[in-house]
Amino acid sequence: MRPENYPVSKKPQVKRTIVFFLVPNFTMLPFSAAIETLRIANRMLGYEAYQWRIASADGQKVYSSSGIGLEAKTSLMDERKNLTGELRPNMVLICSGIYVEEFRNKSVNAYLREVYNRGIAVGSLCTGAHVLAQAGLLNGKRCAIHWENLPGFSEAFPQADVHADLFEIDGNIYTCAGGTASLDMVLYFIRQDFGENLVNRVCEQHLTDRVRSANDRQRLPLRARLGVQNSKVLSIIEIMENNLAEPLSLVDIADKAGLSRRQIERLFRQEMGRSPARYYLEIRLDRARHLLVQSSMPVVEVAVACGFVSASHFSKCYRELYGRSPQQERADRKQLATMPSVNGAVM
């Protein structure tokens, strides 16, 4: 039944089918944001312009990272058959989340390549770009992934042109960073199909007052994220964050910032409560931690990627900051990823 307050679009009735392919430990927020945005669009239009179905590798229930399980309607085998005929989808979206690096399925990779080669749009929510990259679909393509996974993804798939944007569209490939970014990407679809008026109506239902563009930043600005107001300190931190693999000397940083070394030392003591050298070390080790838990890079390569001249020096610094060695960090991560779950939630 058509809601009386919302006129049906005068345009020809667009109808699209989207397959949401769930990977174990997928994140609920981007998945539900995408589904709900499509549902609301249908309600505003008065007909089912967008239809969807949920698929998994074996057609069985898949548990999210929050422990909520969703029943799949179809399996990978079913969806391969659906690539021809009335059930052919317009898009396949990979939904994943934490521990995506542990998901390796050659049949899924082959399916995604077949989908793409048949001219069907392929996309991902949250960390799903990792699965698309495994299938070889992101070589030379612009893509987006959640900022937390970006360091490990960049090292694992150097041929992908990854960006810390909300979402990216490159030809027939659509990727988004997860969280509420899936809402923005789905609103983009709706705008392409029905225009700005429907997008505004959907946003009103969502209580969303702004439609973000694809290249809006994922993370809070440094000022808000660190609680630091001093613009000179913020510019220095930005220089540091852009030079993690090959750390700059404090003299070089001072030169770029237009300050003396003594001024930088004083500013960091006042604003950050530690020396600039110490802060620089901490952000390099933070990047190393992400690489250890999100990639299979050897520890020595992680050390080099984060600007350490030797694995022993890296291990010493890592243990001092985190209380465990890089090897222990990785072992703990693998143990957690394979730990049995209770009601689907990793415990």
Side-chain angles (χ1 to χ4, degrees), residues 3 6-8 39-46 198 201-202 205:
Y6 302 104
V8 175
R39 180 191 67 79
I40 291 171
N42 286 345
R43 179 168 173 258
M44 298 298 100
L45 289 166
L198 181 59
R201 289 179 182 273
V202 173
Q205 291 293 314

Side-chain angles (χ1 to χ4, degrees), residues 237-257:
I237 291 174
E238 190 170 355
I239 292 170
M240 291 177 174
E241 290 189 344
N242 290 334
N243 293 275
L244 298 181
E246 298 182 8
L248 301 175
S249 69
L250 192 51
V251 172
D252 289 335
I253 293 174
D255 214 27
K256 287 178 177 292

Side-chain angles (χ1 to χ4, degrees), residues 37-38 41 50 185-196 198-199 202:
T37 303
L38 295 172
Y50 300 101
M185 187 168 77
V186 172
L187 287 174
Y188 175 88
F189 303 159
I190 295 170
R191 180 185 288 109
Q192 296 299 106
D193 288 339
F194 296 102
E196 197 69 31
L198 181 59
V199 168
V202 173

